[in-house]
Amino acid sequence: MTNRYAIILAAGQGTRMKSSLYKVLHPVCGKPMVEHVVDQVKSLNMSEVVTIVGHGAEKVTAYLEGKSSFALQSEQLGTAHAVQQAAEKLEGKSGVTMVLCGDTPLITAATMQALMDQHISVGAKATVLTANLEDPTGYGRVVRDESGHVSRIVEHKDASEQERAISEINTGTYCFDNAALFEALKLVKNDNVQGEYYLPDVLEILKDQGEIISAYQTPNFNETIGVNDRVALSQAETLMRKRINEEHMRNGITIIDPLTTYIESDVVIGRDTIVLPGTFIKQGSEIGENCTVGPQSEIVASKIGNHTTIRQSVVTESEVGDDVQVGPFAHIRPNSKVENEAKVGNFVELKKAQLGKGSKVSHLSYMGDANIGDGVNIGCGTITVNYDGTSKYVTTIEDGAFVGCNTNLIAPVTVEKGAYVAAGSTITEDVPSESLAIARARQVNKEGYVKK
């Protein structure tokens, strides 16, 4: 099989983003733009992927570590100059090289494959990814010869009236014969107003050498959108979200209102799960089958089991088991684990808490730094007092314990197996197994007090 390489251009600063965050690291559906491109490329089993970095190089390499090798373009002198930086890694090798921009997060592996297939099938030295636009104003036009190959690419400002009538445009993504690419790059000149070396000049050089320059027209222009400002970023986000939601629906998930449902990249959702409006499911989350999530819920980097319901609640970096009821208005904070058949009710907050199988924290309670066993009942208004102003301490509530309403458990403290704690108690000492703890002042009625 022909060796296949990819060069991803990610060295530009992106000044139009007006941001301290390097352009290609701006997220689209939870993942940096350049990572979308790299992940699609990697799915094609490339021999090597080289990302050209410049501004923000350290941060880009940190995100893509293990997915790509890197070449530094220390001075940005144009797209041809950027590609030339990969010479140390790729020059002299036989095969096909695809050149893509790191700010095109919507491009798919299927389109990349079709571009390479076209390139190889016609024996071209270069192939341009093109698209058809009703209004191509501002884009470079692709002029084809009588055989259908590319004669030249002319920029809008330089095009004649006849050329401006052409609706096929250059998207800025290319395939090259690798050896021919690096030989032609040596001939590119910078005698233009910007004094830069432009990659499209390689096409003209190869054409003048009598080589075939081909084109593959994608039926979906949206895949080729480059993100240069916040407006384009929002457009890419909308298109990517639509793609993600439709993929989930085709896989057997019901999304009641896709327009108000935000599911980020790489989220896994099981069949027959229902996602209600206003729900955010963020990257790193995995939801099982036959669940109901929402409305107005947020799941962040968490694992949810099967047959679980999460209503108007937030779950962050935690694990929730099967047949669990969460909410409404519950907050499960990081490093919590809710076992099967448990209940986390309305206005309950868990923080670094383990809630055992079948246990219930039904309403208006805070369980922080708590290890709660199986079959435990936590009464309304109960809190674990886990912080003394300096350090955090753990509360342990063992299997089958019953904690009455409005109880303060002053950590570190243990309520042992099968013990009861009376409502309104403030517990400062361990409660032995099978015992009842009462820690509250005796009621005293002062008759006639009001009149006095």
Side-chain angles (χ1 to χ4, degrees):
M1 189 177 90
T2 303
N3 290 325
R4 300 189 296 182
Y5 311 100
I7 299 173
I8 298 171
L9 306 183
Q13 187 172 10
T15 54
R16 280 183 283 173
M17 298 296 289
K18 293 181 170 59
S19 173
S20 59
L21 181 64
Y22 180 55
K23 182 174 78 166
V24 298
L25 294 182
H26 278 266
V28 172
C29 290
K31 183 190 291 187
M33 287 191 281
V34 68
E35 192 173 8
H36 280 287
V37 179
V38 171
D39 285 347
Q40 292 295 314
V41 167
K42 292 289 286 183
S43 70
L44 297 176
N45 298 314
M46 293 289 188
S47 303
E48 185 165 3
V49 177
V50 182
T51 300
I52 310 301
V53 295
H55 294 283
E58 291 183 2
K59 292 183 178 179
V60 175
T61 55
Y63 267 101
L64 300 179
E65 191 66 42
K67 294 184 175 183
S68 174
S69 61
F70 304 94
L72 178 65
Q73 186 187 24
S74 56
E75 187 179 7
Q76 279 69 59
L77 298 176
T79 50
H81 179 258
V83 173
Q84 182 66 46
Q85 307 315 301
E88 184 178 337
K89 298 180 183 296
L90 299 181
E91 188 174 12
K93 295 182 178 180
S94 63
V96 174
T97 295
M98 186 164 49
V99 179
L100 309 101
C101 295
D103 62 359
T104 55
L106 296 167
I107 194 164
T108 63
T111 294
M112 297 177 196
Q113 184 65 61
L115 174 65
M116 286 190 290
D117 290 345
Q118 166 76 9
H119 176 82
I120 294 169
S121 67
V122 301
K125 290 296 182 182
T127 302
V128 186
L129 179 65
T130 70
N132 193 66
L133 284 184
E134 289 185 11
D135 180 9
T137 303
Y139 289 92
R141 306 304 204 279
V142 177
V143 181
R144 295 186 184 240
D145 60 25
E146 61 279 359
S147 64
H149 296 146
V150 176
S151 173
R152 66 187 183 279
I153 295 175
V154 57
E155 294 303 317
H156 178 86
K157 66 181 185 303
D158 300 322
S160 65
E161 287 301 317
Q162 184 178 2
E163 288 167 338
R164 289 187 179 186
I166 297 171
S167 59
E168 186 177 19
I169 59 98
N170 176 20
T171 69
T173 295
Y174 308 92
C175 251
F176 296 97
D177 175 273
N178 186 71
L181 168 63
F182 285 98
E183 286 302 313
L185 284 170
K186 298 173 184 177
L187 303 176
V188 175
K189 301 183 184 304
N190 67 338
D191 49 357
N192 51 64
V193 175
Q194 285 75 26
E196 294 186 350
Y197 301 88
Y198 294 132
L199 188 58
D201 290 353
V202 170
L203 306 180
E204 187 174 344
I205 290 168
L206 294 173
K207 180 72 174 177
D208 289 345
Q209 293 174 352
E211 303 293 356
I212 294 175
I213 311 300
S214 180
Y216 169 73
Q217 186 179 115
T218 174
N220 187 356
F221 167 73
N222 288 338
E223 285 193 23
T224 71
I225 290 174
V227 176
N228 292 312
D229 58 25
R230 306 294 182 116
V231 174
L233 183 67
S234 71
Q235 293 169 345
E237 179 86 17
T238 298
L239 292 166
M240 181 69 78
R241 179 158 50 90
K242 182 175 184 289
R243 179 190 296 177
I244 290 170
N245 286 352
E246 288 179 354
E247 183 178 359
H248 283 298
M249 288 187 283
R250 291 191 181 99
N251 287 335
I253 289 86
T254 296
I255 299 177
I256 299 299
D257 184 6
L259 293 178
T260 61
T261 301
Y262 301 81
I263 302 175
E264 292 187 343
S265 300
D266 304 326
V267 168
V268 177
I269 305 177
R271 287 185 177 183
D272 294 317
T273 284
I274 300 171
V275 183
L276 297 169
T279 293
F280 288 75
I281 305 176
K282 298 194 173 183
Q283 193 174 31
S285 295
E286 182 178 339
I287 299 173
E289 297 181 353
N290 290 286
C291 294
T292 299
V293 182
Q296 308 299 329
S297 292
E298 182 179 29
I299 313 297
V300 182
S302 295
K303 183 176 181 179
I304 313 298
N306 301 316
H307 306 282
T308 287
T309 298
I310 299 175
R311 295 181 294 155
Q312 290 106 347
S313 296
V314 176
V315 183
T316 304
E317 296 173 15
S318 294
E319 186 174 341
V320 178
D322 301 338
D323 300 292
V324 173
Q325 298 291 315
V326 177
F329 312 114
H331 188 186
I332 300 178
R333 291 168 56 190
N335 301 312
S336 294
K337 184 174 183 179
V338 181
E339 299 285 358
N340 298 344
E341 302 170 28
K343 179 181 179 181
V344 181
N346 52 294
F347 302 104
V348 169
E349 182 177 357
L350 304 184
K351 193 279 292 187
K352 205 175 181 180
Q354 315 296 308
L355 185 63
K357 181 179 179 180
S359 293
K360 298 178 181 179
V361 188
S362 293
H363 27 234
L364 299 161
S365 296
Y366 169 71
M367 297 285 108
D369 298 286
N371 295 324
I372 302 168
D374 298 342
V376 171
N377 184 84
I378 304 294
C380 177
T382 294
I383 65 170
T384 59
V385 185
N386 58 327
Y387 184 49
D388 66 0
T390 303
S391 302
K392 299 287 181 70
Y393 299 94
V394 174
T395 297
T396 300
I397 305 171
E398 296 181 352
D399 295 352
F402 184 99
V403 179
C405 296
N406 293 319
T407 294
N408 299 313
L409 298 165
I410 313 296
V413 70
T414 297
V415 179
E416 295 182 1
K417 186 174 182 178
Y420 273 59
V421 176
S425 294
T426 296
I427 302 299
T428 59
E429 298 178 1
D430 292 351
V431 180
S433 177
E434 306 289 338
S435 63
L436 170 65
I438 305 174
R440 61 192 183 207
R442 184 179 297 275
Q443 180 174 331
V444 177
N445 295 332
K446 301 289 188 178
E447 295 193 16
Y449 176 82
V450 175
K451 289 182 179 180
K452 291 180 182 180

